[in-house]
């Protein structure tokens, strides 16, 4: 039996994915006064009409639908407010160091916690008090179950992907590599001019995929089973660096602390091709770059 699901977000959501979408007011456009309420929450600016409006929208939706539960990804404030409305709350735990009071408040009041990584790899101290209600799901990818694509038009030796959350990876850096290694096909997917609404074919047909270590990216790479080089960005609570460390421990990707020097790419790509993830698709693969061609 399929359960009808409503999505509540201020971000655009593709039509048809959920039964209903409630577009919430933005809460980041007004004055930013005492946004943490003296450190008790993460984001609750005083006298912000957007914050007031989105909470009113949430309360109206709860009154109208009497939901069985609310899944909250990152908002401590939404989790607390929903629980005060009497709604069971499922909180998604995030990697990084989450021992601060607001996060612990959300985890403490949650009826259940989802941790989207393997519990055998990482069960951090700050999550241990809540393990009795935590389910470790492993990575969650939108591409799970999708048939692998084989399309010559999508082939590249190195695919560099960036997400929408901000990155230090630039198209200019990729162009420098393209010039240094003219025998290789370098493809950049990201930013306003090179964004791919559906990166699945490009990922499946890349020799090596390079990207940041956000949870969505690494989960998608796991499904695509391509050799990968991940470069963690600085994020609150050290989120991407924690994810990159899990990738390193599991030997699922080669980790670079920053965009590599041009001469370092052959060794990095060769290392990426030797990971167990790569070997799982018909044996170890030869790295796409065997020597610098300067």
């Amino acid at each position: 039996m399929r359960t009808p699901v409503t999505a509540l977000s201020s971000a655009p959501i593709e039509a048809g994915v959920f039964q209903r979408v409630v577009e919430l007011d933005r809460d980041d456009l007004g004055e930013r006064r005492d946004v943490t309420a003296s450190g008790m929450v993460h984001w609750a600016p005083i006298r912000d009409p957007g914050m007031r409006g989105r909470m009113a929208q949430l309360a109206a939706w709860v009154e109208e639908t009497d939901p069985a539960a609310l899944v909250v990804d990152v908002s401590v404030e939404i989790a607390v407010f929903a629980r005060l409305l009497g709604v069971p709350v499922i909180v998604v735990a995030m990697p990084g160091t989450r021992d601060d009071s607001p996060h612990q408040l959300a985890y403490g009041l949650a009826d259940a916690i989802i941790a989207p990584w393997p519990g055998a790899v990482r069960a951090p101290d700050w999550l241990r008090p809540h393990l009795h209600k935590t389910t470790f799901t492993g990575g969650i990818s939108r591409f799970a179950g999708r048939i692998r694509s084989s399309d010559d038009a999508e082939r590249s030796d190195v695919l560099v992907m960036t997400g929408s959350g901000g990155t230090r990876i630039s198209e200019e850096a990729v162009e420098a590599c393209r010039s240094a290694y003219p025998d290789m096909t370098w493809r950049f997917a990201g930013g306003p001019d090179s964004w791919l609404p559906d990166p699945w074919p490009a990922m499946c047909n890349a020799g090596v995929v390079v990207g940041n270590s956000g949870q969505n990216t690494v989960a998608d790479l796991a499904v695509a089973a391509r050799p990968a080089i991940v470069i963690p960005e600085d994020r609150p609570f050290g989120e991407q660096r924690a994810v990159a460390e899990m990738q390193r421990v599991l030997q699922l990707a080669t980790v670079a602390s920053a965009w590599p020097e041009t001469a370092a790419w052959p060794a990095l790509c060769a290392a990426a091709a030797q990971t167990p993830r790569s070997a799982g698709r018909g044996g170890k693969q030869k790295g796409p770059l065997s020597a610098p061609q300067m």
Side-chain angles (χ1 to χ4, degrees):
M1 178 179 177
R2 296 178 65 87
T3 301
V5 176
T6 296
L8 301 98
S9 176
S10 55
I13 295 180
E14 181 181 349
V17 176
F18 299 96
Q19 182 193 48
R20 179 184 175 191
V21 174
V22 175
E23 184 177 348
L24 298 176
D25 292 345
R26 293 273 298 267
D27 64 351
D28 59 346
L29 301 178
E31 293 185 29
R32 302 187 176 189
R33 290 195 294 151
D34 190 19
V35 298
T36 68
S38 300
M40 298 305 296
V41 295
H42 288 149
W43 189 259
I46 287 178
R47 300 186 63 81
D48 184 284
M51 172 64 77
R52 186 166 57 247
R54 75 191 281 119
M55 291 303 187
Q57 288 173 297
L58 177 58
W61 174 77
V62 168
E63 176 67 18
E64 175 188 352
T65 63
D66 187 22
L70 180 68
V71 180
V72 182
D73 55 359
V74 297
S75 175
V76 172
E77 299 73 39
I78 292 292
V80 172
F81 187 63
R83 185 62 186 84
L84 288 172
L85 292 174
V87 178
V89 174
I90 302 169
V91 172
V92 180
M94 307 289 281
T97 304
R98 310 280 175 170
D99 57 0
D100 58 286
S101 295
H103 272 115
Q104 289 302 306
L105 173 61
Y107 299 147
L109 64 78
D111 294 271
I113 298 172
I114 295 173
W117 64 82
V121 176
R122 181 174 172 78
D125 290 342
W126 51 263
L127 191 55
R128 291 188 184 278
H130 317 292
L131 288 180
H132 64 284
K133 56 183 176 181
T134 299
T135 299
F136 292 92
T137 63
I140 300 173
S141 172
R142 56 180 163 160
F143 299 129
R146 187 165 173 178
I147 297 174
R148 288 181 56 80
S149 168
S150 179
D151 186 347
D152 288 341
E154 297 285 349
R155 294 195 184 280
S156 63
D157 293 304
V158 182
L159 170 67
V160 181
M161 297 197 316
T162 64
S164 58
T167 180
R168 292 170 293 172
I169 298 175
S170 68
E171 191 163 8
E172 290 75 18
V174 177
E175 183 58 39
C177 291
R178 189 178 289 123
S179 298
Y181 300 100
D183 293 341
M184 309 309 299
T185 304
W186 293 74
R187 183 175 184 182
F188 179 75
D193 299 324
S194 304
W195 184 261
L196 293 179
D198 181 11
W200 179 248
M203 292 173 63
C204 290
N205 292 281
V208 170
V209 182
V210 181
N212 296 129
S213 54
Q215 291 188 89
N216 290 337
T217 296
V218 299
D220 292 347
L221 286 171
V223 176
R226 303 309 303 146
I229 299 169
V230 297
I231 306 171
E233 292 286 346
D234 291 328
R235 291 289 188 267
F237 309 100
E239 177 181 324
Q240 286 205 9
R241 298 198 181 277
V243 174
E245 177 62 14
M246 284 190 274
Q247 294 283 292
R248 186 193 65 79
V249 169
L250 290 172
Q251 300 181 59
L252 294 178
T254 296
V255 178
S257 60
W259 182 261
E261 296 291 335
T262 304
W265 282 100
L268 285 170
C269 290
Q274 301 303 312
T275 59
R277 170 190 290 165
S278 307
R281 292 291 180 177
K284 293 183 179 180
Q285 303 176 19
K286 182 180 178 182
L289 298 180
S290 55
Q293 303 176 34
M294 304 299 289

